[in-house]
Amino acid sequence: MSTLEELRAKCETCQKCALGKTRNHLVFGVGNERARLMFVGEAPGEQEDLTGTPFVGRAGQLLDKFLYAVGIERSDVYIANILKCRPPQNRDPLPEEEDACIGYLREQVRIIQPKIIVCLGRISAMRLIKPDFKITAEHGKWFQKGDFLITAVFHPAALLRDPRKKEDMLEDMKRIAAKLNEEGEFQ
């Protein structure tokens, strides 16, 4: 693949797992195709499946508030998920579904070439950072993976269920913004 448009077209016809048959819309990814900061969630939810855009439901609106709070424009970042199709009833992705889709995410990362990748939640972090990642203990810690700096934050949906974690999220987002400024990305 050489462009995001070509990759999206390939995803549109994907039937590597059963989710391709049940989706309303492919939820490929959205944002700045030259972003230095990329957020990766686990899978689309109901609103995302209906619109074809990642993080537009309640969790996405909360993510937008955190971006705003630390001075990052949503239009400056790229947002995607491991899965490009919604699992039924928003259940966790199955390992075979992740395996079927992870190549698309890797190709998105290769094309975009972000400097920093932020995993939104435990499932994304377990797939992209390490299989035994513990979100409560390791959120906000930095890892070097090849050419990328990678970290994980609480998934915004988890913050809707447990607002006590919002302060941790804000501190993590401040560190992400500071790291971008160190790199000279948003000055």
Side-chain angles (χ1 to χ4, degrees), residues 128-153:
L128 300 183
I129 298 175
K130 59 181 184 172
D132 63 345
F133 191 90
K134 305 290 187 227
I135 193 74
T136 302
E138 296 178 288
H139 68 87
K141 292 185 179 174
W142 292 97
F143 300 82
Q144 186 75 44
K145 299 286 240 173
D147 294 334
F148 310 107
L149 266 178
I150 189 165
T151 190
V153 298

Side-chain angles (χ1 to χ4, degrees), residues 22-61:
T22 60
R23 71 176 180 221
N24 287 303
H25 290 96
L26 172 74
V27 184
F28 181 71
V30 67
N32 184 336
E33 295 181 7
R34 298 185 188 279
R36 300 339 284 148
L37 174 59
M38 183 173 184
F39 289 89
V40 178
E42 61 191 59
E46 181 179 20
Q47 291 305 307
E48 292 75 16
D49 183 46
L50 292 172
T51 64
T53 305
F55 285 88
V56 293
R58 288 179 59 226
Q61 292 166 16

Side-chain angles (χ1 to χ4, degrees), residues 151-177:
T151 190
V153 298
F154 289 109
H155 194 289
L159 302 176
L160 292 171
R161 293 187 299 271
D162 185 358
R164 295 170 297 174
K165 293 180 171 117
K166 286 182 179 180
E167 189 60 39
D168 286 335
M169 176 71 157
L170 182 58
E171 292 306 312
D172 290 345
M173 292 295 290
K174 286 178 182 176
R175 284 191 287 277
I176 291 164

Side-chain angles (χ1 to χ4, degrees), residues 54-139:
F55 285 88
V56 293
R58 288 179 59 226
Q61 292 166 16
L62 184 56
L63 176 61
D64 289 348
K65 288 178 182 177
F66 280 104
L67 289 170
Y68 178 80
V70 298
I72 298 173
E73 297 286 331
R74 184 171 170 137
S75 61
D76 288 334
V77 305
Y78 194 87
I79 303 174
N81 285 298
I82 295 171
L83 298 191
K84 309 304 181 200
C85 302
R86 177 186 181 213
Q89 286 77 50
N90 294 345
R91 66 159 165 71
D92 287 351
L94 300 175
E96 56 268 24
E97 293 164 348
E98 288 184 21
D99 291 345
C101 240
I102 196 70
Y104 296 131
L105 178 64
R106 286 187 183 123
E107 190 65 12
Q108 284 174 300
V109 170
R110 188 195 65 73
I111 292 167
I112 296 165
Q113 297 182 346
K115 297 293 183 204
I116 297 174
I117 297 173
V118 177
C119 297
L120 292 167
R122 169 186 58 86
I123 291 174
S124 176
M126 289 172 66
R127 186 64 191 225
L128 300 183
I129 298 175
K130 59 181 184 172
D132 63 345
F133 191 90
K134 305 290 187 227
I135 193 74
T136 302
E138 296 178 288
H139 68 87

